[in-house]
Amino acid sequence: MNYKYPAVLPAVIFAIATPFAAQATERSFVITDPNLGHEIFKKALNDRNLEVLVDIYADDAVMVAVGGQEIRGKDAIRAFFVETIKAVESFDFETVFRMNYPDTVIFRSKYTVYFKTPDGSEIAQSTGGIEVLRKQADGNWLLVADHHFGSADYQDFQALNTVQ
């Protein structure tokens, strides 16, 4: 292809990709706009992109998963997502609200996770979470806390996760 304005295309790509910018250091991906935190997470999980899922968490992040399991640090978060992306078929995610502070953003989410069972049927589980992003020294934002059912009624959540 022969473009009349070849310098325009790279500028357009850069402008579109800036909020999702890759960092040349140890992280393959960073969040430059905290308001996009939920969108980035949703896309990474649905794309089964393990590296992005891990890289958007701080090294000392804490996650509370199903059953109240507390997962701390990048290695444990990586191990969690290795298993998660094997099991999850798709993930619907909605931001219920967001509170912005100068160096912290708190999200409340509502989501449904779709799983395939060994017999091929699909199971859907819905609940609500709380997620916290914190601004880092380099100006990028990382998840520091992720409570998968933090905004759900706990009894309702347990009923969803009881073997029928």
Side-chain angles (χ1 to χ4, degrees):
M1 284 186 185
N2 201 353
Y3 292 101
K4 186 174 182 180
Y5 302 107
V8 173
L9 185 58
V12 169
I13 291 170
F14 177 79
I16 292 169
T18 296
F20 306 99
Q23 184 174 332
T25 61
E26 62 191 67
R27 293 187 186 277
S28 64
F29 191 89
V30 294
I31 298 172
T32 59
D33 179 350
N35 298 309
L36 298 175
H38 272 170
E39 291 300 317
I40 292 167
F41 180 86
K42 177 183 176 180
K43 181 169 178 19
L45 185 55
N46 281 321
D47 289 350
R48 294 174 169 72
N49 189 327
L50 179 63
E51 293 312 311
V52 171
L53 284 168
V54 173
D55 281 350
I56 62 176
Y57 284 83
D59 293 341
D60 61 348
V62 62
M63 176 189 291
V64 178
V66 173
Q69 176 188 9
E70 198 170 279
I71 301 166
R72 290 187 172 270
K74 295 280 280 219
D75 291 339
I77 289 170
R78 176 179 291 281
F80 172 82
F81 280 124
V82 163
E83 296 306 314
T84 298
I85 61 178
K86 289 178 188 174
V88 172
E89 280 296 307
S90 65
F91 180 73
D92 287 335
F93 199 81
E94 175 186 341
T95 300
V96 176
F97 74 78
R98 180 183 69 235
M99 292 173 46
N100 290 52
Y101 298 94
D103 68 345
T104 305
V105 178
I106 302 169
F107 288 94
R108 180 170 172 245
S109 60
K110 187 166 77 171
Y111 63 91
T112 302
V113 181
Y114 300 91
F115 301 93
K116 283 280 190 200
T117 63
D119 69 0
S121 59
E122 188 176 86
I123 296 174
Q125 292 182 331
S126 298
T127 191
I130 297 173
E131 302 81 27
V132 179
L133 281 91
R134 181 156 299 138
K135 190 173 189 177
Q136 306 299 299
D138 65 3
N140 294 309
W141 295 77
L142 296 173
L143 280 158
V144 294
D146 182 359
H147 194 301
H148 293 188
F149 55 94
S151 70
D153 177 77
Y154 192 70
Q155 289 180 337
D156 290 344
F157 179 76
Q158 280 192 310
L160 285 172
N161 291 288
T162 302
V163 178
Q164 304 293 319

